[in-house]
Amino acid sequence: MRSGDGNGSVRVLAISFVTKPGHGSEGGVGWSFLRESALAMSGISGGAIDFVYDERDNVEVRRAISEEDWAETVSLHPVSLSDRAFKTYGDSRTRTSYLRWIPRAKAVMGELVRLNNYSAAHQFTFATASLPPLLPRISGPRVWGPVAVPHKPVHEWNGRSSLRERTSVVAGKANSQLFSRSADRIVCQNDATFDFMRRSGAEVVLEPNIVVEPRARLEHDPRRLVLSGGLINRKRPWLAVEALNSPALRDYRLDILGDGPLRKDLESYVRLERLSSRVTFHGRVSHASAIEYVATAGALLLPSRREGAPWVVGEAAACGTPSVVFSDSGAATIVRLSGNLGAVVASSADRGSNINRFRNGIFEVGESSNWQPTRRWSRTRLGPFLRNIWS
């Protein structure tokens, strides 16, 4: 890794819009990448990190860092929303709130760049490539990601996709190409994003934004399935519920973890089809509880139309629980990189075919009991990866 100044020190500018120690998903990504970045720097003489992040995470970040041996390696630079924006968004991390955060973050980074010569700049989050990165011009490499490109429009339960949804995918791809010009290197969450970003002219690598330590395989019920996540169109939860209505799966049960606008319709379908004894809606549960459900299940179901790199599939793999996913979702990349721990179902334009294929995938993983936890998503991989990509 090149030096950041004439004294031979190495200094990295790290940026994360959401950073939540101990959480999963996007907030967990921000914290995990910061932690491993700091550990990588702490092993280098003169290594240091300037960390620019959302002030709303300040209390959690400072508390967590105070307990780490590498605390002195990191200089914290929290950036707040304007009072008006905070009143509007509170603690929610929407795309619009990110756009409102950008001008203030740019001002802070401008001053940091004026005062320091950086070896590299790396933005960990936000994870969608259709939003602009915050990578200032520096002498070292500018790294963006892991990011994902929205490559498929989302359909509703009736099989249609709205004009707005189709337009957003087209615009997202165009924005991704435009914004990629701000980066020298792009970290991609899945195969589809990797293939798309190779056209950008930047160096691209594949490394999903999942950080989960392996667990011992727990006693599990091969006939109990888990669906975990928001009950929204993008997740297509109806495919899992309708697949369970097949006579071939009459001995299977389904635990649904999460909530959302589709819950009432799904509950009505379950009552109408007399599946209430086999399908249980648990609503939102704690992260720890969700892990226990997944770890003791026969399979995790994720019939999503579009995913970046679903953390829950990585968590399932780290528990030794196979996942059933569709081939045109980013989830398929996670199953493959986990050592094919699960079933990747070929996607079809026909709804009936999708239901049948998903049902067959469930049956396929249920026939095997040899699944073992993977170490693929352990945080120990990140230090060497980051040192390499910053060089």
Side-chain angles (χ1 to χ4, degrees):
M1 185 182 297
R2 74 187 72 181
S3 298
D5 56 39
N7 297 322
S9 65
V10 176
R11 197 171 195 94
V12 170
L13 177 62
I15 307 129
S16 179
F17 178 58
V18 54
T19 313
K20 293 191 174 296
H23 290 239
S25 194
E26 191 85 353
V29 171
W31 170 252
S32 297
F33 271 71
L34 170 64
R35 184 180 188 279
E36 298 311 310
S37 297
L39 285 171
M41 286 293 98
S42 65
I44 298 174
S45 178
I49 291 178
D50 283 313
F51 184 52
V52 177
Y53 61 106
D54 191 322
E55 194 273 339
R56 290 174 290 179
D57 294 327
N58 194 37
V59 172
E60 286 185 80
V61 168
R62 288 186 181 276
R63 181 187 299 121
I65 285 181
S66 69
E67 299 172 357
E68 301 285 352
D69 295 337
W70 45 260
E72 293 183 359
T73 304
V74 179
S75 296
L76 298 176
H77 304 276
V79 177
S80 63
L81 289 172
S82 67
D83 291 342
R84 182 176 179 181
F86 182 77
K87 185 176 180 180
T88 301
Y89 300 108
D91 193 46
S92 65
R93 310 306 167 92
T94 63
R95 296 185 176 197
T96 308
S97 66
Y98 171 69
L99 295 174
R100 296 286 292 274
W101 182 76
I102 284 177
R104 291 190 167 206
K106 279 186 174 180
V108 170
M109 285 189 292
E111 183 63 15
L112 288 172
V113 170
R114 187 182 69 81
L115 296 173
N116 301 283
N117 184 19
Y118 287 104
S119 308
H122 189 165
Q123 180 171 346
F124 310 141
T125 63
F126 242 21
T128 174
S130 59
L131 292 172
L134 287 166
L135 294 169
R137 291 189 180 277
I138 60 170
S139 58
R142 297 169 298 170
V143 184
W144 185 26
V147 295
V149 174
H151 63 285
K152 294 285 185 180
V154 171
H155 293 89
E156 298 178 7
W157 198 339
N158 60 17
R160 301 188 184 95
S161 61
S162 66
L163 175 60
R164 179 179 179 181
E165 174 63 23
R166 295 193 298 272
T167 301
S168 71
V169 170
V170 172
K173 289 183 175 181
N175 286 341
S176 300
Q177 284 288 306
L178 175 64
F179 298 146
S180 67
R181 299 173 187 173
S182 301
D184 302 302
R185 294 168 186 166
I186 301 173
V187 185
C188 303
Q189 291 189 32
N190 54 52
D191 294 325
T193 298
F194 180 83
D195 291 339
F196 182 83
M197 282 300 192
R198 284 199 294 183
R199 314 170 200 169
S200 68
E203 296 179 37
V204 295
V205 296
L206 175 65
E207 187 55 56
N209 63 346
I210 298 172
V211 187
V212 184
E213 298 306 311
R215 299 174 42 142
R217 184 72 160 113
L218 299 179
E219 183 177 347
H220 64 284
D221 181 351
R223 295 293 183 265
R224 187 174 64 78
L225 310 169
V226 171
L227 179 78
S228 180
L231 303 183
I232 57 178
N233 286 323
R234 178 169 64 83
K235 301 288 187 179
R236 300 194 299 190
W238 59 83
L239 288 176
V241 176
E242 290 185 276
L244 202 72
N245 205 14
S246 166
L249 299 180
R250 62 181 176 274
D251 295 329
Y252 286 70
R253 291 171 288 114
L254 176 63
D255 287 312
I256 298 179
L257 316 179
D259 211 338
L262 294 178
R263 178 168 176 172
K264 287 185 178 180
D265 289 338
L266 290 167
E267 288 176 328
S268 295
Y269 176 86
V270 166
R271 287 193 297 270
L272 182 65
E273 297 297 325
R274 299 181 179 179
L275 296 172
S276 298
S277 62
R278 296 197 290 128
V279 178
T280 304
F281 292 85
H282 296 273
R284 291 188 176 90
V285 301
S286 69
H287 184 239
S289 294
I291 290 292
E292 291 304 311
Y293 275 107
V294 171
T296 55
L300 170 76
L301 307 186
L302 191 69
S304 296
R305 169 72 170 177
R306 186 172 72 213
E307 290 285 349
W311 189 288
V312 68
V313 176
E315 287 179 321
C319 295
T321 300
S323 296
V324 183
V325 306
F326 278 98
S327 59
D328 59 352
S329 164
T333 302
I334 310 308
V335 171
R336 176 177 65 80
L337 294 178
S338 297
N340 297 315
L341 209 157
V344 175
V345 178
S347 186
S348 170
D350 178 71
R351 173 178 170 178
S353 294
N354 278 336
I355 295 170
N356 290 334
R357 292 174 181 180
F358 201 69
R359 175 204 63 204
N360 292 340
I362 295 170
F363 192 75
E364 175 188 328
V365 299
E367 289 298 290
S368 174
S369 59
N370 296 322
W371 310 108
Q372 295 298 321
T374 181
R375 295 192 60 84
R376 175 59 178 82
W377 309 113
S378 175
R379 66 179 185 232
T380 56
R381 79 188 196 274
L382 290 182
F385 170 77
L386 292 168
R387 286 193 295 269
N388 181 62
I389 204 169
W390 293 341
S391 298

